[in-house]
Amino acid sequence: MAKDNGVVIIGGGAIGLCTAYYLLQQGVKSTIIDKGEMGHGSSLHNAGYISPSHFVPLAAPGIISQGLRWMLNPVSPFYVKPRLDLDFIAWAWKFRNSCTQENVERAAPLLRDLSTASSALFEEMAKSNGMDFEFMKKGLLVLFRSERGRAAMMEEAGMAHKLGVGALFLERRDIQKLVPETEIRADGGLFFPDDRHITPAKWVADLTRYLEANGVQMLQNTEVKGMVVSNNGITAVRTSDGEIRGEEFVLAGGAWSPEIVRGLGLKLPVQAGKGYSITINRSNRKPLIPMILTEARVALTPMGNTFRAAGTMEIAGLDLSITQRRVEAILTAVPKYIGGFTLDDFKQGEVWAGLRPVSPDGVPFIGRFSRYNNLVVATGHAMLGITLAPVTGKIIADVISGSKPQFDMTLLHPDRFA
Ligand SMILES: Cc1cc2nc3c(=O)[nH]c(=O)nc-3n(C[C@H](O)[C@H](O)[C@H](O)COP(=O)(O)OP(=O)(O)OC[C@H]3O[C@@H](n4cnc5c(N)ncnc54)[C@H](O)[C@@H]3O)c2cc1C
């Protein structure tokens, strides 16, 4: 039997849940449909960073040559699987063309503004509705252990200062004073005092509980298989459990988003960027501050009584299989930067894989498709999907209610590559 709803959100990850949250704040009760459990996609066991420090988009000068070097190394943090897949080839071409200084200059102020606004929304959310997702204000330390890393961090410090993002360049002895509980083996680093972190699994569970208790309809284990179109609008989604009608539809399917709208003739350039995390129980959790190990592209996060190492970006399609040697590469990097860890500490760790939805220019797709008058998209956040989830949800709620979002929507436009 067809069911009627106002706003139908496809995908119950960080982005879909936040969209429902901010719609609810405007008095709109939506329906979220997920093919699995709410929050159990990429949003579950990631590094949990809320990072205004990540203002440099993924598509930046130098990344292609670095990527080509990394591709020759089977344990590198970045891997692109060569494939004769037209969507992948088209995406790779757009990505290559976006790796320019102009893209960095265009995207960096926007990413700074979005993530700063989102961080404030996280703080507000953490104080309300009985939520307890371990919102921590510890900052972020980005460590380096090579001359190339030092040069990159100095350049980033300069950019941060220009953009007004707080960043402190520190030598090893200064870092040691900042984190006396941790033995620092890296040469130095950059400290971003305004970064925050959360425990993402607790956050998505809190959001799910809150939304359900406040009348948002949650359809789990229900797969969207297609859409019903009339004139220039969508009238319903076809799911594994029948048709669901609606007035507005929000595409928040993460890395699966292009598949969901393929039948509509829309080509959304998003590729899955697989990453892994390894979580261990650690009651004397040190370090106490999240750290990025620059050369290894590894993120470390203390979360409650656990400690998490995360990393790797594999552009290899919608594949969640775990490549053990890349997981080991994440772990072997840790003792090179800090003391107090051996590989044995991670032996009983829980290994998890997630698929980041990666856009070609490092900026998400947020807004209405021009071709359909009631289809809004919110995806392509790559490494920033947790950081930007609240502000994305708020923008989408504004777009649906007809209010003007406070950001430059042209840079976020879903048709910008069409
Ligand atoms: C190792 C790792 C570490 C990371 N660390 C960070 C970090 O520290 N900070 C940060 O900001 N970001 C981080 N990220 C990125 C972040 O996790 C993602 O950008 C974010 O989770 C994307 O959220 P989403 O809602 O778009 O996608 P998802 O959470 O993947 O949600 C999409 C949902 O859509 C559902 N779906 C798909 N197809 C269908 C369909 N046909 N019908 C119904 N439902 C469907 C899926 O089941 C899924 O639940 C990390 C990612 C990884 C992998």
Side-chain angles (χ1 to χ4, degrees):
M1 197 181 75
K3 297 162 199 152
D4 269 309
N5 301 277
V7 183
V8 175
I9 300 168
I10 305 162
I15 305 297
L17 292 169
C18 279
T19 300
Y21 183 84
Y22 287 101
L23 281 168
L24 198 57
Q25 298 229 320
Q26 299 192 3
V28 179
K29 289 181 183 166
S30 54
T31 296
I32 312 182
I33 308 174
D34 200 289
K35 65 176 179 173
E37 281 180 60
M38 297 295 159
H40 280 225
S42 181
S43 305
L44 193 64
H45 292 316
N46 51 70
Y49 291 0
I50 299 161
S51 35
S53 60
H54 287 32
F55 51 78
V56 179
L58 187 61
I63 186 77
I64 298 278
S65 50
Q66 171 76 78
L68 288 172
R69 275 196 301 277
W70 270 333
M71 277 184 73
L72 303 173
N73 174 1
V75 294
S76 69
F78 184 71
Y79 173 66
V80 180
K81 185 178 176 184
R83 281 168 287 152
L84 274 175
D85 166 338
L86 288 183
D87 288 343
F88 163 70
I89 294 167
W91 178 91
W93 183 251
K94 292 179 175 79
F95 179 75
R96 176 197 166 277
N97 291 341
S98 300
C99 290
T100 61
Q101 192 53 34
E102 295 79 70
N103 186 50
V104 173
E105 275 159 27
R106 220 176 14 241
L110 175 68
L111 293 176
R112 172 204 59 196
D113 291 349
L114 288 169
S115 54
T116 305
S118 212
S119 182
L121 292 173
F122 259 115
E123 185 155 11
E124 221 174 85
M125 207 186 278
K127 286 184 193 145
S128 55
N129 310 315
M131 293 201 192
D132 180 20
F133 48 83
E134 294 166 343
F135 176 76
M136 307 296 278
K137 293 179 163 185
K138 299 270 181 190
L140 172 72
L141 249 174
V142 184
L143 300 175
F144 63 82
R145 59 187 293 275
S146 66
E147 280 314 305
R148 193 191 273 256
R150 174 183 290 274
M153 285 302 97
M154 287 186 118
E155 195 183 331
E156 204 165 318
M159 276 184 80
H161 292 152
K162 257 200 229 155
L163 286 166
V165 174
L168 244 75
F169 189 90
L170 302 171
E171 296 295 343
R172 180 195 296 177
R173 61 179 178 281
D174 306 316
I175 298 179
Q176 199 58 84
K177 279 186 213 149
L178 185 72
V179 287
E181 73 285 350
T182 307
E183 179 202 337
I184 297 298
R185 295 176 179 167
D187 295 344
L190 203 51
F191 180 56
F192 292 96
D194 300 324
D195 275 29
R196 310 284 181 247
H197 72 281
I198 59 164
T199 301
K202 285 197 172 181
W203 177 56
V204 290
D206 271 359
L207 272 172
T208 305
R209 250 192 317 273
Y210 172 78
L211 294 171
E212 209 161 19
N214 286 279
V216 171
Q217 205 186 351
M218 303 277 190
L219 304 178
Q220 311 209 71
N221 303 313
T222 306
E223 184 169 358
V224 172
K225 293 179 175 283
M227 297 191 195
V228 183
V229 178
S230 172
N231 300 320
N232 293 327
I234 315 293
T235 54
V237 287
R238 272 194 295 273
T239 77
S240 49
D241 195 25
E243 275 188 13
I244 295 165
R245 283 201 293 262
E247 283 154 26
E248 289 278 0
F249 296 83
V250 180
L251 176 66
W256 294 269
S257 298
E259 301 295 315
I260 299 171
V261 292
R262 192 176 300 280
L264 296 177
L266 294 170
K267 283 195 187 303
L268 187 64
V270 168
Q271 285 288 312
K274 183 164 59 180
Y276 306 112
S277 72
I278 307 96
T279 308
I280 55 172
N281 283 320
R282 196 170 152 92
S283 43
N284 66 335
R285 62 199 160 87
K286 289 172 192 159
L288 299 173
I289 294 183
M291 296 180 177
I292 286 183
L293 318 179
T294 287
E295 291 85 352
R297 302 292 195 275
V298 167
L300 306 178
T301 322
M303 283 180 187
N305 284 335
T306 66
F307 180 77
R308 178 166 298 163
T312 300
M313 174 73 93
E314 285 181 40
I315 308 281
L318 293 168
D319 165 22
L320 275 164
S321 63
I322 290 170
T323 306
Q324 201 51 38
R325 63 170 187 261
R326 288 191 192 273
V327 171
E328 277 159 23
I330 294 174
L331 302 179
T332 42
V334 181
K336 293 180 184 161
Y337 291 78
I338 56 172
F341 281 97
T342 64
L343 283 187
D344 277 353
D345 289 327
F346 290 101
K347 268 206 176 126
Q348 303 303 322
E350 187 191 343
V351 181
W352 170 86
L355 298 177
R356 309 171 183 94
V358 186
S359 73
D361 57 0
V363 175
F365 294 109
I366 307 176
R368 276 191 199 284
F369 285 111
S370 318
R371 194 154 155 194
Y372 296 96
N373 53 32
N374 61 348
L375 179 59
V376 188
V377 61
T379 193
H381 296 74
M383 296 120 76
L384 292 170
I386 300 303
T387 301
L388 300 181
V391 76
T392 301
K394 195 159 191 305
I395 292 175
I396 296 294
D398 284 346
V399 168
I400 288 176
S401 69
S403 325
K404 195 175 170 340
Q406 65 183 105
F407 302 95
D408 181 352
M409 298 302 290
T410 52
L411 294 177
L412 299 165
H413 203 288
D415 295 329
R416 65 184 182 272
F417 288 99

